[in-house]
Amino acid sequence: MAGVFVTGTDTEVGKTWVSVGLIQALANSGRRVVGMKPVASGCQRTDLGLRNADALLLQQASSVGADYATVNPFSFEPAIAPEAAANMAGLAIEPGVIKDCFDQLAGFADLVVVEGVGGWRVPLNGEYDVASMAIDIGLPVVLVVGIRLGCISHARLSAESIQSSGLPLLGWVANCGSSTDADQASIEALIKAMKAPCLGVVPRVASPNEVAGYLTVDSILLP
């Protein structure tokens, strides 16, 4: 194992902040850790080219330096589904490029934290989707669950799909937007329903740099 693949039950469930937390928690163990966001839409035009805020957070959190183009090989300006954004740009998201960039990062880091885009089955290029990308890279998976109405079913369905892919599901992280009784009830229901362990419950925090303290990374560090 050379890292972990972070996916979510949906978009906007906290994958990036959890990924930053994982990078920092793993780096605190003395490992050289680098983040990767292979595909990103909703990028901003800069003097250096298109840049994605989430990919920049991963790059900045990494304990070893990496070129932006390797961290985020496919970046698109419209904040829409990645396959549609690629089509609008007249480009195709190429699996071989993503794997080559991952291999480069894995060549000089002990661990690579790869953040997917959207949910587990978001299309990227025809039948190639986020699940296909994770399988090609070959990393075990951490599932981020946004605690909100409907999350229990979404989490269970995502977990079943991940496990049926043949990849290990190391665990899941609950990302809480609030601390209501309903949120706590959802978390308790998920703990009972999910076959994989809960690796952390992240409350509303002001910065992604606060997330590491809420995560358990022992299972990622095991050989």
Side-chain angles (χ1 to χ4, degrees), residues 17 20-21 24-25 28 57 60-61 205-214:
W17 283 34
V20 168
Q24 294 176 337
N28 289 341
L57 282 175
Q60 293 160 6
V205 293
S207 163
N209 295 323
E210 299 178 50
V211 173
Y214 296 96

Side-chain angles (χ1 to χ4, degrees), residues 9 120 143 153-165 169 194-196:
T9 48
W120 177 246
L143 175 65
S153 179
H154 292 162
R156 295 182 70 184
L157 288 169
S158 296
E160 288 171 6
S161 183
I162 292 165
Q163 290 163 331
S164 69
S165 76
L169 177 59
M194 298 283 277
K195 296 180 180 179

Side-chain angles (χ1 to χ4, degrees), residues 75 140 170:
S75 52
L170 289 181

Side-chain angles (χ1 to χ4, degrees), residues 44-55:
Q44 302 295 318
R45 291 192 176 275
T46 74
D47 293 340
L48 298 174
L50 289 173
R51 292 292 184 268
N52 176 262
D54 293 343

